[in-house]
Amino acid sequence: MTINVLLRSDDSNGFDKRLKLAPMMLLASACFLSACGSAGATDAASAMKSSKANVNSNGGGPTTPTPTPTTTSTSTSSTTVTYDTSVGNGVDANGFASLPLRSGAHRYFVSSAKGSDANSCAAAQVSNTPKATIASALSCVANGNGDQVLVSEGTTYSEPMSGLNGKSGFSALYPTVIQTYDPADPLNDTKYGRGDQRGARPVMKGDGEPIGGGSGAVSYVAIRGFDFNPGNVNDRAVSLLPNGTANAAFVLIENNLFRYTTFSADMISASSQSDHLILRNNSIYGTWSVNDKAGQGIYFDGWQNATIEDNVIYHAGWKIGASRDDGVANGGPSMFKHSIYEQSTNAGPCITRRNLIADGSADGGQYRSNSTVSENVYIDNPISVSAGGGSNYYLYQPTGVNLEVSYNAILGDADLNSSNPRGVAIEASNGRLGSSVHHNLIARSRNVNGVNNWAFVTAADFNQPSYMGWDHNVVYQWTTALQIYLPGGAYPSQDFPTYTNNIWDAASSGTNTNIAGGTYPNPYTATQLYAALGFPDKQTFINYAIEHPEAHIQRQARTLLFAGYGM
């Protein structure tokens, strides 16, 4: 049994340090997140009404006034959807890579239902005589050839996917591919990797899935269409690791479900930065560990050119069914567990866009390297966005980082637990000159008078300038005027924030406008948003999003929120 536990000694959360420095009252406020049942296979497709795009101003929830639109709206991001196309032969309109078979390469079929590992590699190239295990099929794959392993939909495997060691592809255009096929139509490559269309992703129940490291470095690899599901157990991870000091390059992880399973690409021990990591159209939820500093949703370090796009990340860092006041040993949350943990050891640029991130342990993501965080939807996280910062920062990013946080929708907040009240929308540390947080919507804190509720936090955690331009953001019913923004950190004299053209719950100043003077077409509550999307409640919405990351329901949620708040 292989269990990959991710431990880092340098992943303390900067906000908790700043609590000791900021002039605020540390009051205990009890907030218990009700225990959630397993966000499993509930299919809310029947709730996706054909009329869901027509906004109901009441949304089936408590009535909220819907005043006449005014001219206070700001510009929105482009409607053009951009994908990372660096692996394969382009990406279609729904975010699925084209992965052609290279001339001279081979496809090997696998079916636990009707296959046999006694079948030869030549026989396994025919769908009627497949291998029984993925490991046996991978033994047929030639390193550097661009071969593909096709795994039957509707099947189950207890093995890890570790046979990829030393099985790199030919190039970024022709990677080694492990993906799924429809056994009723095995030669139809338009269905490859798309078991979601039939609710039939192959289930991987292995205890641990080390897909790289050990006997060979892994580059030019694509994995898509699987359901990694070991059950609601601790310390499970699909891990991409270096071979000694050998790095990785051009890795695509697409259209998979990671149930209770961290995805980790920990390349810090490689001799140089690994290049091009793409996670797209995946769901990751319920990851947890009995160790205080493990159990992230997504973890990666030692990379340049990393893209996390169109994923659903829910309840990362703490056990489904646990209370926020449970101890870590029982699956409770920790300030060290993050939905996305992008270490400061990444060179960047790292792009996080169009994801749905809800109910994280500590936050919706720690983005510590040169980062762009855009068009995501964050729901009920203790901290939604934490950009820059980190312990040992001076070793990896001694001159700060370039940060852009833009066009995100943040709805609601949460306490880490009843002893650690939180409600921070966006915090930024040690940004270089030109870093900016702009055109974000921050709305609907549980309690605008809550302890540690801040819309904007700028901090200098090290003795170097920390720049951030906060502009064209809308802050609605989030906090009091006295807690709209916080400069802090260990070196407050090094903080250089600017605030322009924001509409916020604070006094008007310069070009910043107090929200009391603005009106909005439909300032959604959470209940109203879910109803407008066609769901009766949050959990049904989340369950659907998990099972159908390819539906990109968060894009519609963000569009409705931005329109409702005049953005």
Side-chain angles (χ1 to χ4, degrees):
M1 179 175 68
T2 302
I3 299 177
N4 299 287
V5 181
L6 310 179
L7 300 176
R8 307 298 299 183
S9 61
D10 56 351
D11 57 358
S12 59
N13 187 286
F15 179 73
D16 294 272
K17 294 178 181 178
R18 289 191 284 279
L19 292 181
K20 300 176 183 179
L21 301 167
M24 61 182 75
M25 298 174 64
L26 299 179
L27 303 177
S29 66
C31 176
F32 293 74
L33 182 68
S34 59
C36 299
S38 175
T42 301
D43 187 346
S46 61
M48 297 286 287
K49 303 181 181 68
S50 60
S51 61
K52 68 183 179 181
N54 297 320
V55 176
N56 179 347
S57 61
N58 291 324
T63 301
T64 295
T66 54
T68 304
T70 69
T71 57
T72 58
S73 63
T74 58
S75 61
T76 63
S77 58
S78 170
T79 57
T80 301
V81 176
T82 300
Y83 295 107
D84 190 320
T85 61
S86 56
V87 175
N89 188 28
V91 177
D92 69 17
N94 294 314
F96 292 91
S98 171
L99 300 173
L101 184 68
R102 174 177 170 263
S103 177
H106 304 288
R107 285 178 171 142
Y108 301 100
F109 290 86
V110 178
S111 173
S112 62
K114 67 175 186 178
S116 170
D117 285 349
N119 291 332
S120 67
C121 292
Q125 295 176 43
V126 179
S127 62
N128 288 334
T129 52
K131 293 282 192 178
T133 65
I134 297 171
S136 184
L138 281 169
S139 71
C140 300
V141 170
N143 187 45
N145 201 44
D147 293 335
Q148 300 188 2
V149 172
L150 303 180
V151 181
S152 177
E153 295 173 2
T155 53
T156 301
Y157 304 85
S158 296
E159 58 180 304
M161 208 175 276
S162 55
L164 260 173
N165 295 337
K167 302 291 186 178
S168 294
F170 177 80
S171 66
L173 176 60
Y174 298 114
T176 296
V177 179
I178 308 179
Q179 62 182 351
T180 62
Y181 74 95
D182 180 359
D185 194 12
L187 301 184
N188 187 345
D189 62 2
T190 65
K191 294 183 177 181
Y192 290 171
R194 295 301 310 275
D196 57 281
Q197 296 175 322
R198 290 160 292 283
R201 290 181 174 92
V203 177
M204 303 295 296
K205 302 183 76 170
D207 289 327
E209 311 286 341
I211 60 175
S215 61
V218 176
S219 290
Y220 309 129
V221 168
I223 299 175
R224 66 176 181 179
F226 292 90
D227 186 342
F228 295 93
N229 186 1
N232 191 1
V233 291
N234 60 285
D235 294 297
R236 297 300 186 258
V238 170
S239 301
L240 179 64
L241 304 169
N243 171 31
T245 60
N247 61 8
F250 295 92
V251 175
L252 170 67
I253 308 296
E254 183 179 272
N255 196 28
N256 303 285
L257 305 183
F258 293 94
R259 305 181 195 270
Y260 323 107
T261 302
T262 294
F263 178 81
S264 168
D266 187 352
M267 306 300 291
I268 188 59
S269 60
S271 59
S272 61
Q273 289 275 304
S274 294
D275 191 22
H276 282 95
L277 172 68
I278 307 167
L279 281 83
R280 180 168 57 235
N281 288 348
N282 304 286
S283 287
I284 300 168
Y285 80 99
T287 61
W288 65 288
S289 173
V290 296
N291 195 295
D292 196 43
K293 295 183 179 180
Q296 320 297 334
I298 295 170
Y299 178 88
F300 63 103
D301 62 8
W303 288 84
Q304 59 185 359
N305 298 307
T307 303
I308 302 173
E309 56 189 9
D310 295 302
N311 301 284
V312 175
I313 307 169
Y314 170 65
H315 217 286
W318 60 302
K319 183 180 180 180
I320 298 286
S323 161
R324 280 196 173 272
D325 277 332
D326 282 338
V328 170
N330 294 318
S334 160
M335 74 177 189
F336 300 110
K337 301 174 187 285
H338 314 296
S339 298
I340 299 173
Y341 194 174
E342 172 200 311
Q343 263 287 15
S344 52
T345 55
N346 296 293
C350 296
I351 298 171
T352 302
R353 59 192 175 199
R354 302 187 306 271
N355 302 281
L356 171 62
I357 305 173
D359 293 285
S361 169
D363 49 54
Q366 292 266 319
Y367 312 98
R368 289 182 169 173
S369 56
N370 297 301
S371 301
T372 298
V373 181
S374 65
E375 299 183 71
N376 303 285
V377 175
Y378 296 91
I379 297 176
D380 296 341
N381 297 286
I383 299 174
S384 289
V385 177
S386 182
S391 299
N392 296 325
Y393 197 90
Y394 62 94
L395 296 176
Y396 306 116
Q397 305 288 351
T399 61
V401 288
N402 296 315
L403 301 172
E404 181 181 3
V405 181
S406 61
Y407 299 104
N408 300 286
I410 296 171
L411 184 65
D413 56 4
D415 292 332
L416 193 152
N417 53 44
S418 59
S419 299
N420 293 277
R422 286 186 173 181
V424 177
I426 303 172
E427 64 167 357
S429 306
N430 302 99
R432 290 179 186 161
L433 185 64
S435 292
S436 63
V437 174
H438 63 91
H439 295 96
N440 298 283
L441 170 64
I442 300 167
R444 303 284 187 180
S445 169
R446 296 155 300 141
N447 178 11
V448 297
N449 296 307
V451 176
N452 300 335
N453 279 41
W454 302 93
F456 310 137
V457 176
T458 310
D461 291 331
F462 302 93
N463 191 15
Q464 61 187 40
S466 183
Y467 296 99
M468 186 53 65
W470 306 85
D471 67 272
H472 290 94
N473 302 288
V474 172
V475 182
Y476 183 88
Q477 294 187 7
W478 189 266
T479 187
T480 66
L482 297 177
Q483 290 193 179
I484 197 72
Y485 55 83
L486 170 68
Y491 299 91
S493 65
Q494 291 276 41
D495 284 330
F496 298 100
T498 60
Y499 305 94
T500 57
N501 295 305
N502 299 289
I503 303 172
W504 58 17
D505 293 306
S508 298
S509 63
T511 57
N512 301 295
T513 306
N514 183 277
I515 206 163
T519 56
Y520 300 95
N522 193 339
Y524 288 97
T525 64
T527 298
Q528 291 168 350
L529 175 66
Y530 303 137
L533 291 166
F535 299 96
D537 53 39
K538 174 184 174 180
Q539 198 60 55
T540 309
F541 164 74
I542 290 292
N543 289 351
Y544 178 84
I546 288 170
E547 295 299 319
H548 301 281
E550 78 287 348
H552 304 143
I553 190 65
Q554 64 270 26
R555 296 188 195 175
Q556 188 176 359
R558 195 189 73 92
T559 296
L560 288 174
L561 285 168
F562 267 48
Y565 286 86
M567 298 183 70

